[in-house]
Amino acid sequence: MSIYVHNGFMDTLQILEPVAGPEADDVCCAPSGKPALGVDEARQKALVFRALADPNRLRLLSIVKAGESGEACVCDLTAPLDLGQPTVSHHLKILVEAGLLHREKRGTWAYYSLVPGALERTAGLLASL
Amino acid sequence: MSIYVHNGFMDTLQILEPVAGPEADDVCCAPSGKPALGVDEARQKALVFRALADPNRLRLLSIVKAGESGEACVCDLTAPLDLGQPTVSHHLKILVEAGLLHREKRGTWAYYSLVPGALERTAGLLASL
DNA sequence: CACATAGATTGACATGCGTCGATATAGGTG
DNA sequence: CACCTATATCGACGCATGTCAATCTATGTG
């Protein structure tokens, strides 16, 4: 029977926004019977936190944020992280799919920048637990 | 050579607090040469987000938070999550070690409650990236 | 077009992690 | 002490994930 549902998800999830209200799930017994976080809602929020759950990805966000221009290309990111280029590209992709980074290709280079307000909305996810 | 340092860490990490200022790491080349997140700092912050990176743990936090008394025992948590008792205990342990939950044993029962301000401090981690 | 460079994708490998069943431990009750 | 109940811990299993080397794609440049 279904263990590991393997959240088959899309890109650039936008859970950071509304998500409707806490749907009534209404536990039968226990302490207060409050609805709390629904299964789907929890799964989506966890995806965002999963993107933040790696030290190198946190550093990527930090470097991009700290950059003068607010953006950085891959070649600027491999050196400080001491990681191979494919690995950095991999991490950046995860951050983009989580809705935290924006990717813009200009010429040969790909410039990554913070999605405006994304970090704030993510912080908001914690408050609305 | 050392890949995967396997962060050998302790319990109830308190990264949620000060952590000193962003230490000067000063990259040599690239875009802005900003210090950004240090390696150790990133690793510790990632531990907190990793605790939040699981749907069932988010639901645990939510249920505990929503509870009338602000606390819940394990027996109240297994049913709504549809998980075995050992699994719930496992998740709770991770949340305690992340500094998000507090455990208090009273009689035969173990009561878990939100560490006051922990979620807010975690939200602050995002702002200080 | 030939060639160089930036970045993404693929495949493989090892480790991490969520889950369970079984078992151990601790407190309560007779 | 014997027994029950609530949790915690252990060992195992399988999927997930971070990493790299190799390769592919796209954009320049001669």
Side-chain angles (χ1 to χ4, degrees), chain B residues 4 6 50 54 56-57 82-84 86-87 90-91 94 105 107-108:
Chain B
Y4 280 109
H6 182 233
R50 187 168 316 226
D54 180 88
N56 288 319
R57 286 198 288 271
D82 195 35
L83 288 177
T87 304
H90 170 71
H91 285 312
I94 289 175
K105 185 128 190 218
T108 315

Side-chain angles (χ1 to χ4, degrees), chain A residues 3 29 45 51-52 55 58 66 68-69 78 81 83 106 112 129:
Chain A
I3 311 172
C29 36
K45 292 187 178 183
L52 295 167
L58 289 180
E68 300 266 332
S69 53
T78 51
L81 289 208
L83 288 177
R106 288 204 303 271
Y112 289 86
L129 268 187

Side-chain angles (χ1 to χ4, degrees), chain A residues 12-102:
Chain A
T12 336
L13 51 157
Q14 215 59 343
I15 319 85
L16 303 181
E17 289 293 2
V19 202
E23 65 269 12
D25 191 32
D26 160 358
V27 216
C28 49
C29 36
S32 61
K34 287 284 185 58
L37 248 196
V39 177
D40 293 339
E41 217 178 331
R43 192 164 49 207
Q44 295 191 351
K45 292 187 178 183
L47 283 180
V48 181
F49 290 119
R50 187 169 315 200
L52 295 167
D54 180 89
N56 287 320
R57 286 198 287 271
L58 289 180
R59 298 189 77 202
L60 282 173
L61 288 176
S62 172
I63 294 174
V64 169
K65 184 182 181 187
E68 300 266 332
S69 53
E71 58 182 15
C73 62
V74 180
C75 61
D76 294 330
L77 297 169
T78 51
L81 289 208
D82 195 34
L83 288 177
Q85 172 266 315
T87 303
V88 172
S89 277
H90 171 71
H91 285 312
L92 289 170
K93 184 178 184 180
I94 289 175
L95 289 170
V96 168
E97 289 177 344
L100 296 168
L101 283 187
H102 171 250

